[in-house]
Amino acid sequence: MRRHPLALAGGLLLLLVVGFCVLGPLLHPTNQNDVDLVNAALPPGGEHPLGTDTNGFDVLGRLMNGGRVSLQISLLAALVATTIGTLYGAVAGLAGGVVDGFMMRLVDVMLSIPFLFFVLILSARFHADALSLSLVIGGFSWLLSARLVRGEVLTLRVREFVLAARVMGASRWRVILTHLVPNALGVIIVTVTFQVADAIIVVSALGFLGFGLTYPTADWGSQLASGVTYISADYWWLVYPVGACIILTVLALNLLADALRDAIGRPTSARS
């Protein structure tokens, strides 16, 4: 972090965002379930530092709750995608030959299909909640992780410690889980960070298009969509704060991921 000032800024910014979303509702409790038309569309000030939306919900409280939901979905989706991609890429890289060629051609075919297209269809077909969105996003965003891990495994599988384990009779899954995955941990950690940033963008896009979470749960994308509707009425507090939250969170994650890639991307000693 000392050698990467931007990484330090990204890490601090990410901590602020997480603290805002997790601890904020405890310091600024609001009612995000009951519509209050009497206090609808109030400008910032008084009991509502960022005003209220057209349903009377406190915008600051809604940003906190929506951010917490968006972060939860994105983190779970990133873990699902990285787990699938890591195992898939490790198996392909260790197998090599025809098996590797077939598995990676399948990845190429799936990468040629628009990711958002599949997610939109599934989101429209099934009831959208936090868990289902996480599984859908994670289930279709593991492809790049698989290619990165497979490339790392191709360099690791010819190392002495892997060859020794195979000569001693270690099974393929033991080699993968005990030797390959731990030594590819640097790539995996960087991948998770980028995956979280990408998932936040996808969740926001789905919410903006109307395929996100349903009332009373809200995410940043659905908040942005409802705010844009009233932008011509000069309700700026419904658009700019949530847009800033999305941009700052993705920026923080990308800065942190870039620094992690530079820091742990160099060759590491093999674990025996």
Side-chain angles (χ1 to χ4, degrees):
M1 285 293 186
R2 289 194 299 268
R3 292 192 297 269
H4 297 83
L6 290 179
L8 181 60
L12 293 176
L13 181 58
L14 185 60
L15 285 177
L16 289 176
V17 171
V18 173
F20 172 77
C21 297
V22 175
L23 301 179
L26 301 178
L27 302 176
H28 182 69
T30 58
N31 183 357
Q32 297 294 327
N33 295 318
D34 301 323
V35 175
D36 184 10
L37 297 179
V38 176
N39 295 312
L42 294 178
E47 297 181 357
H48 308 288
L50 289 179
T52 62
D53 63 12
T54 54
N55 290 319
F57 295 127
D58 182 83
V59 172
L60 180 59
R62 206 149 183 84
L63 281 177
M64 295 172 180
N65 291 332
R68 183 174 57 189
V69 172
S70 297
L71 289 175
Q72 289 174 346
I73 295 174
S74 302
L75 181 59
L76 181 55
L79 292 176
V80 171
T82 304
T83 300
I84 297 174
T86 297
L87 295 177
Y88 190 95
V91 170
L94 182 61
V98 177
V99 175
D100 177 37
F102 174 78
M103 293 178 70
M104 298 317 296
R105 294 299 76 73
L106 181 61
V107 169
D108 292 338
V109 171
M110 295 183 68
L111 282 172
S112 66
I113 303 173
F115 165 72
L116 195 59
F117 176 74
F118 269 123
V119 176
L120 285 174
I121 292 177
L122 291 177
S123 299
R125 177 65 180 82
F126 300 102
H127 175 70
D129 55 26
L131 180 59
S132 65
L133 275 182
S134 300
L135 295 178
V136 168
I137 295 173
F140 284 94
S141 57
W142 57 269
L143 302 171
L144 292 178
S145 299
R147 298 186 71 172
L148 291 173
V149 173
R150 179 250 184 184
E152 187 73 9
V153 168
L154 287 177
T155 63
L156 290 172
R157 69 176 187 175
V158 296
R159 301 281 291 274
E160 289 80 1
F161 65 96
V162 175
L163 297 176
R166 300 183 72 173
V167 170
M168 294 174 64
S171 64
R172 179 168 297 178
W173 281 109
R174 180 176 178 83
V175 171
I176 290 174
L177 298 177
T178 306
H179 300 284
L180 296 179
V181 171
N183 281 280
L185 197 58
V187 173
I188 295 171
I189 292 175
V190 174
T191 301
V192 169
T193 310
F194 278 119
Q195 290 278 10
V196 174
D198 293 340
I200 287 177
I201 296 176
V202 174
V203 171
S204 301
L206 289 175
F208 186 81
L209 295 174
F211 293 93
L213 302 175
T214 56
Y215 177 86
T217 307
D219 58 79
W220 283 340
S222 60
Q223 290 178 251
L224 186 61
S226 61
V228 169
T229 306
Y230 299 96
I231 190 63
S232 59
D234 201 25
Y235 292 168
W236 59 266
W237 60 90
L238 301 181
V239 179
Y240 298 128
V242 64
C245 286
I246 296 172
I247 293 173
L248 290 177
T249 304
V250 175
L251 175 63
L253 287 165
N254 279 291
L255 290 176
L256 191 58
D258 284 335
L260 287 173
R261 181 179 56 192
D262 295 339
I264 61 183
R266 61 180 62 91
T268 57
S269 59
R271 290 178 50 181
S272 59

